[in-house]
Amino acid sequence: MTTTTRSALALGVAALAVVALGACSDQPSAAVGSESTPRSSVRTTPTPGPPTAWDDARGVGVVAVGDSITGGHGLTTAEAWPALMADTNGWALTNLSCDGAGVAALGDDDDCASAYPALVKRAVDLRPQVVLLQASSNDLGLDTAEIRSATDRVVDDVHRRMPRARVIGLSAIWNQDAPPAQLATISRAMRVALQHEGGMYVDIGEPLRGHGDWMQSDDVHPTVRGQQAIAAAVTAAFTRDDVQF
């Protein structure tokens, strides 16, 4: 990570904190809590060529693999936390997140109708330098052994298919209430898989806890304000753990 990039990431913490505070009094520019709200198309596409072909002027090539929270369900893709961080840090981002998807749980039929392994396959041709893997509450209710095995396979698949990419796993996100006990198991499976297979695990805590006003009407997906809080939490965790891009 260059000095310039590290400085940019540090500045990102302060910038997101300011945005988060300001958003408490401002009304979001886009409607929230509505399935009919349009979602923007993929923000960027990678430059064709070998794995090192990302244009330095466009920033680090990042792919996000996650669920509906990571994808910004009910909002636009530009309002989801990965896009907020990309804007702050100058990443060239592609968000491949899918409603309903998890390491084993299948995504919604009207979205990707597949689990994380299919999203990882889509990421290969993008030749990312960094892959963000979000542990997901969509895997709640599945057998613990199945979750662990599926997480191991996903992390191994990323390394096998994109050996030059750095893998960063994130803990699962819950709403304003206390999370169910199994959510910790889901996040722990991601941490253990990265320890075994290689990569870095980052615990972002519970940025939405106690903030029902940051949730859309379904109490599952965050509003613009909630997405800003997640972005601030991820940025702070990256700085705390010295995550280098």
Side-chain angles (χ1 to χ4, degrees):
M1 185 179 194
T2 65
T3 301
T4 300
T5 304
R6 292 173 62 88
S7 298
L9 183 56
L11 289 173
V13 178
L16 285 167
V18 171
V19 170
L21 289 173
C24 291
S25 59
D26 295 339
Q27 293 297 322
S29 59
V32 297
S34 171
E35 293 291 338
S36 62
T37 305
R39 299 176 64 182
S40 66
S41 59
V42 174
R43 297 178 61 252
T44 57
T45 53
T47 303
T52 57
W54 288 92
D55 182 354
D56 289 340
R58 295 175 59 235
V60 176
V62 178
V63 165
V65 174
D67 54 20
S68 56
I69 294 177
T70 307
H73 177 90
L75 310 174
T76 66
T77 305
E79 291 168 322
W81 69 260
L84 297 178
M85 293 191 66
D87 290 342
T88 300
N89 297 291
W91 299 342
L93 172 72
T94 302
N95 194 335
L96 296 180
S97 300
C98 172
D99 286 10
V103 294
L106 295 180
D108 296 349
D109 289 340
D110 59 354
D111 197 342
C112 68
S114 58
Y116 280 13
L119 303 180
V120 169
K121 290 179 181 178
R122 290 175 57 189
V124 173
D125 289 340
L126 300 174
R127 303 183 180 93
Q129 292 163 286
V130 177
V131 176
L132 300 177
L133 284 176
Q134 178 79 64
S136 176
S137 61
N138 289 325
D139 291 312
L140 285 170
L142 298 177
D143 181 73
T144 296
E146 180 183 1
I147 293 171
R148 290 172 178 166
S149 177
T151 306
D152 288 344
R153 288 195 301 271
V154 167
V155 174
D156 176 72
D157 203 27
V158 173
H159 283 298
R160 181 170 52 83
R161 294 177 179 274
M162 295 169 280
R164 299 194 184 190
R166 182 168 189 198
V167 187
I168 300 175
L170 305 173
S171 56
I173 299 173
W174 194 242
N175 62 15
Q176 72 272 17
D177 298 323
Q182 194 184 24
L183 197 72
T185 300
I186 291 170
S187 295
R188 189 179 305 113
M190 181 67 71
R191 175 175 57 81
V192 172
L194 288 164
Q195 288 175 339
H196 289 169
E197 303 291 341
M200 187 169 190
Y201 173 78
V202 179
D203 187 342
I204 67 170
E206 299 175 31
L208 303 176
R209 181 80 174 267
H211 293 282
D213 55 324
W214 293 357
M215 303 301 298
Q216 296 179 39
S217 59
D218 60 10
D219 287 330
V220 174
H221 301 99
T223 62
V224 171
R225 177 64 183 86
Q227 289 285 354
Q228 291 168 348
I230 296 171
V234 176
T235 302
F238 279 7
T239 300
R240 177 198 68 209
D241 295 346
D242 194 25
V243 177
Q244 301 181 18
F245 279 34

